[in-house]
Amino acid sequence: MTPVESDFEVEHSMTKKLSEMTLEELCQLFPIILTGHQPQWKAWYREEESLLLSRLQGIVRISHIGSTAISGIWAKPIIDILLEVPADAALTEYKAPIQAAGYICM
């Protein structure tokens, strides 16, 4: 495939809904890049944990999850964090402070 054909396919795929895209189109838009384990990932998580705990009230538990939490394996270089709140918490009250801290709610 030439660069022009590739650009056309990416541009064309932008007009589709994600649910309508093929796996190949999704991989072009969202490539998965793996890297060897990096020792600094643990420190990065600790920094984010500290930030989140200082900005959010009522956190029951916060955990470093995903492949970057496992020493010795290849991973996407993205630190995944799980926040647990009380079962009866109003989740909408957490969205604004999380976004104000620079995160994207997914």
Side-chain angles (χ1 to χ4, degrees), residues 78-99:
I78 298 169
I79 307 301
D80 296 312
I81 300 171
L82 175 66
L83 295 175
E84 296 180 54
V85 298
D88 60 349
L91 296 180
T92 55
E93 293 179 15
Y94 288 91
K95 186 174 183 177
I98 289 172
Q99 289 175 326

Side-chain angles (χ1 to χ4, degrees), residues 31-96:
I32 297 171
I33 300 168
L34 298 177
T35 186
H37 184 80
Q38 303 296 310
Q40 68 267 24
W41 289 340
K42 187 173 188 175
W44 291 355
Y45 163 73
R46 291 287 179 214
E47 290 175 21
E48 299 305 317
E49 175 187 46
S50 178
L51 172 73
L52 289 164
L53 289 173
S54 72
R55 300 225 179 157
L56 301 171
Q57 301 297 315
I59 300 297
V60 172
R61 181 171 39 196
I62 183 169
S63 303
H64 183 189
I65 62 170
S67 54
T68 59
I70 304 168
S71 295
I73 69 167
W74 284 67
K76 296 177 297 202
I78 298 169
I79 307 301
D80 296 312
I81 300 171
L82 175 66
L83 295 175
E84 296 180 54
V85 298
D88 60 349
L91 296 180
T92 55
E93 293 179 15
Y94 288 91
K95 186 174 183 177

